[in-house]
Amino acid sequence: MSLHRHYPPDLYRGTTGEASAWLRPADRPPDTVSAAGVTCEFLATGEQTAGRFGLYRWTFGEEASGPGPHFHRSISEQFYVLSGSVEVFDGRSWVAAGPGDFVYVPEGGVHGFRGGDRASMLLMFAPGGPREEYFETLARGEWMTPEERAEFMLRHDTYWV
């Protein structure tokens, strides 16, 4: 016996389909590069997906780095490790994640991540908020007053714990 499961409401109402797929080539250079060698590639931005999700490839530099514990009020965050080892804070402790491991963090879930040795992972946010300015600003290492930093974090739905 199978259970009927409902799909979300139709977003496309046409009858023949349309040619609307797009490709981001693998050889395109990273969208951000920090002084520490961390790169971020904007694979699918919230703007490109009509706010459904944002998907980014994050590659750590040689030295360990990453944000400490924080949470988001309006977006969930997902991590899928592609290569190397990434430590993820799951709200209770730091756990090691390796290639193929997946972590889901719902809205309000305390999390953090850190890695080095050129480890890489996919980051996905749902729905797709405008994370690009956040990543670009942090990669540039812009100096901010405590008040400017607090406003920046609030604007980008990031609450440190």
Side-chain angles (χ1 to χ4, degrees):
M1 178 171 140
S2 68
L3 297 175
H4 179 69
R5 300 194 192 273
H6 294 281
Y7 278 82
D10 291 347
L11 297 176
Y12 174 74
R13 298 204 183 274
T15 59
T16 61
E18 60 184 30
S20 55
W22 48 269
L23 168 73
R24 184 192 190 281
D27 61 355
R28 183 171 158 186
D31 293 281
T32 69
V33 180
S34 76
V38 176
T39 65
C40 185
E41 298 164 66
F42 304 165
L43 302 178
T45 66
E47 183 177 352
Q48 292 169 317
T49 66
R52 292 178 185 90
F53 68 92
L55 182 63
Y56 308 86
R57 183 179 11 242
W58 189 270
T59 303
F60 294 91
E62 291 298 326
E63 300 298 319
S65 66
H70 63 284
F71 66 93
H72 309 290
R73 293 178 186 264
S74 67
I75 54 177
S76 65
E77 189 167 357
Q78 293 72 230
F79 305 91
Y80 182 81
V81 179
L82 297 169
S83 67
S85 180
V86 177
E87 288 187 294
V88 179
F89 187 72
D90 66 4
R92 294 171 294 281
S93 63
W94 289 93
V95 296
D101 287 341
F102 175 78
V103 178
Y104 172 73
V105 183
E107 298 85 344
V110 175
H111 64 286
F113 61 86
R114 60 185 175 210
D117 297 323
R118 305 292 301 154
S120 66
M121 64 182 179
L122 296 177
L123 290 176
M124 187 169 89
F125 298 93
R131 298 302 285 173
E132 300 79 36
E133 180 195 10
Y134 181 79
F135 294 142
E136 291 165 344
T137 301
L138 294 179
R140 286 192 301 266
E142 292 182 12
W143 184 87
M144 295 180 225
T145 67
E147 296 80 16
E148 290 169 333
R149 183 170 175 77
E151 187 278 328
F152 175 79
M153 292 298 168
L154 182 64
R155 185 166 25 103
H156 291 287
D157 189 23
T158 302
Y159 301 86
W160 300 97
V161 295

